[in-house]
Amino acid sequence: MLEALLASASEVRPVDAAALIGGRWVMDGPQSERVGPYLRRPVSRAPAASTGDVAAVRAFARSSARVVGRLAPAVRAEVLERASAAASANRDGLARLLALELGKPVKDGRGEIDRVADTFAVCAAEARRIGGETLPVAGWARGVGDTAFTYRAPAGVALAVTPFNAPANLLAHKLGASFAAGNTTIVKAPPQAPATSAAVVALLTEAGMPFEAVQLLHGDGSVGAALCAADEVAVISFTGGAATGAAVARAAGAKRLVLELGGNAATIVCEDADIAEAARVCARTGYSNSGQSCISVQRVYVQRSRFSEFLDLFAGHVAALRVGDPLDPDTDVGSMVDEDAAERVVRWSAEAAAAGGRVVLGGKRDGATAAPTIVADPPAGASVVTEEVFGALVAVLPFDDLTEVIEHCNESRYGLQAGLFTRDLDRIVTAWRDLDVGGLVVNGSSNHRLDHVPFGGVKDSGFGRESPRCMIEDFTVVKTMILRGTSLWGARA
């Protein structure tokens, strides 16, 4: 299946992105086409899941959970290690799929697949560490004479609902960690990346993941809602917008949830920072994937004494970014997911300018390709400051005092990740303590993530933490056993 998907991606005809139901790859039923945002032609097609498909997936998952749970952690780890190697071996082909379906430059796509390989390798390592503990029950009077143990057992059935902006790596996080934990997983793919999603699933099954461990459905939000409400599902991992995340929580009811939602990431540049380096990093990370990342640099606050210097350097770096064909290995900025997304960048930059801001660069689009846009000193109430742009736009604003700018950052309803450029340890500790975010990157922008460390937000950016280790905790349940009358520590004299 993987070979067929990657071979089709080199042809003009659309790639068939089959569903995986009950151990069978199927293309049955009505199909929806994905039009590539840069090529402006159909690049993939997938079968839309019916209510019968959802029912079949639920039944198969219910019967498969114990099969997967009985696989030894070493077996699961070996599958994930082979999948890691396979991801590296198929790097270019998978990056091409990302470019076709999403307009993501192949250089960024290759980087995403490198992260897929790393993520599977980390999931394998964490699978080998799953265990439990011996509890100190004999330290209290009622526990004398007893022994108690715990171990982490699979939750059973997991649901992975993945987004379009990093469909390969975020699927690797969810599916890799769920399998490492011993679960069977139902994957609901994003409509914008059906072939990429199918390729990652195929890569895993061809690496030895049993068909009992994974199923894949395509479709719209109604399919996701039906799966979220399914009684068989024990835990849901969702990445997407805040409004959809709230809908997931309502549909899920009393289920475990890991929600990684929206962001409006700020990066603070203090007067003592290396301004040239800060400008270079913010330019590189503010427009990668056309800004379509929940931690993409959206707001840069620069101390007023260095504001003009930073803005000039930053604008120079952004102007040098190469915009164009995502299949060209030299392209830095490809297209956005669709024309509506690109139009949002144009509209919000114009609104900010009308309210007193200044569009330094960009503010235009060609179809779904938004020119990298800089808005200088927009008013505090502008959409480019208060909302999630999720596009190729960065707002640059001056500030005078660190306490003041932290307050401005915290006014956002989002709190995923922030960046800070400074050499001052007191400023670093203050920002880490006082910023309402799940993570702070020091001497880097907000748009930096290590896949093996905890990642997640607060407020409308969701809850729970994504990284293989943290997700395995969410994808497992602690089971306790008490041995009455048998004690490792002896009984009362």
Side-chain angles (χ1 to χ4, degrees):
M1 173 57 71
L2 178 61
E3 183 179 354
L5 285 164
L6 299 184
S8 296
S10 62
E11 301 173 1
V12 175
R13 65 183 179 85
V15 179
D16 284 340
L20 180 58
I21 302 173
R24 293 178 53 248
W25 290 100
V26 297
M27 282 292 293
D28 301 335
Q31 297 178 9
S32 58
E33 287 187 329
R34 170 61 180 164
V35 174
Y38 184 82
L39 295 177
R40 307 186 196 188
R41 63 168 175 80
V43 294
S44 60
R45 57 191 174 202
S50 66
T51 54
D53 293 332
V54 172
V57 161
R58 291 176 58 181
F60 188 75
R62 187 167 56 245
S63 64
S64 297
R66 288 195 180 275
V67 175
V68 183
R70 289 182 178 134
L71 293 175
V75 174
R76 304 195 295 259
E78 288 163 2
V79 170
L80 290 162
E81 286 165 350
R82 289 194 293 271
S84 174
S88 295
N90 292 282
R91 179 177 184 246
D92 288 347
L94 292 166
R96 182 177 177 84
L97 272 181
L98 288 165
L100 291 174
E101 290 194 308
L102 300 170
K104 176 178 287 192
V106 289
K107 67 165 64 173
D108 289 345
R110 288 169 181 157
E112 181 173 345
I113 302 308
D114 289 341
R115 293 176 65 186
V116 169
D118 286 349
T119 297
F120 284 149
V122 174
C123 288
E126 295 298 339
R128 297 184 187 279
R129 296 190 180 104
I130 295 174
E133 62 179 325
T134 302
L135 302 176
V137 292
W140 282 262
R142 292 190 65 240
V144 172
D146 297 343
T147 305
F149 307 96
T150 66
Y151 83 101
R152 285 199 166 271
V157 179
L159 172 62
V161 184
T162 53
F164 72 80
N165 59 316
N169 188 42
L170 293 178
L171 177 53
H173 270 273
K174 299 176 193 303
L175 182 50
S178 180
F179 180 62
N183 297 309
T184 184
T185 308
I186 302 168
V187 177
K188 162 60 176 69
Q192 302 91 341
T196 301
S197 304
V200 173
V201 172
L203 185 151
L204 281 160
T205 58
E206 292 177 19
M209 178 181 281
F211 282 111
E212 288 87 353
V214 61
Q215 298 181 88
L216 169 68
L217 287 182
H218 304 284
D220 58 17
S222 64
V223 176
L227 292 170
C228 287
D231 293 337
E232 294 82 2
V233 173
V235 57
I236 300 170
S237 178
F238 169 84
T239 302
T244 308
V248 166
R250 288 192 298 270
K255 294 184 175 73
R256 290 182 173 208
L257 295 174
V258 181
L259 301 179
E260 198 268 277
L261 307 178
N264 177 0
T267 292
I268 300 169
V269 181
C270 297
E271 60 190 355
D272 67 325
D274 182 336
I275 296 297
E277 176 66 3
R280 185 190 69 80
V281 171
C282 288
R284 178 173 53 82
T285 58
Y287 302 92
S288 58
N289 199 21
S290 293
Q292 295 171 122
S293 168
C294 48
I295 54 174
S296 185
V297 179
Q298 179 175 327
R299 296 174 290 160
V300 181
Y301 291 94
V302 185
Q303 205 142 21
R304 194 174 300 275
S305 62
R306 310 297 297 275
F307 179 79
S308 295
E309 177 187 358
F310 174 90
L311 185 60
D312 289 345
L313 290 168
F314 179 64
H317 286 299
V318 175
L321 293 173
R322 181 166 176 172
V323 182
D325 185 354
L327 292 170
D328 183 339
D330 293 325
T331 294
D332 299 303
V333 181
S335 59
M336 296 184 64
V337 68
D338 54 39
E339 292 194 16
D340 288 343
E343 179 58 28
R344 181 176 64 248
V345 170
V346 174
R347 185 174 67 254
W348 284 8
S349 61
E351 290 173 359
R358 177 164 55 97
V359 177
V360 177
L361 282 177
K364 301 175 291 184
R365 72 177 176 94
D366 179 7
T369 302
T373 299
I374 301 173
V375 179
D377 205 8
S383 295
V384 297
V385 177
T386 62
E387 301 299 324
E388 181 179 30
V389 175
F390 212 68
L393 184 153
V394 175
V396 185
L397 306 95
F399 78 92
D400 296 302
D401 175 74
L402 183 64
T403 300
E404 169 200 11
V405 77
I406 287 175
E407 290 176 357
H408 285 316
C409 292
N410 290 344
E411 289 170 357
S412 172
R413 63 191 180 101
Y414 298 106
L416 188 51
Q417 195 154 280
L420 174 68
F421 285 88
T422 183
R423 298 183 177 91
D424 187 302
L425 181 59
D426 184 63
R427 285 171 169 163
I428 292 169
V429 172
T430 297
W432 190 23
R433 181 190 64 221
D434 293 344
L435 282 168
D436 293 336
V437 293
L440 175 67
V441 181
V442 178
N443 290 320
S445 79
S446 60
N447 194 2
H448 178 73
R449 178 178 177 183
L450 296 176
D451 293 292
H452 55 288
V453 303
F455 176 80
V458 297
K459 301 191 289 189
D460 278 2
S461 289
F463 51 83
R465 291 297 178 264
E466 284 199 348
S467 75
R469 187 172 188 176
C470 294
M471 296 184 79
I472 285 172
E473 292 182 359
D474 286 309
F475 285 143
T476 53
V477 294
V478 175
K479 297 186 75 170
T480 305
M481 179 179 67
I482 301 175
L483 295 176
R484 297 297 310 277
T486 300
S487 176
L488 293 171
W489 297 278
R492 292 184 186 275

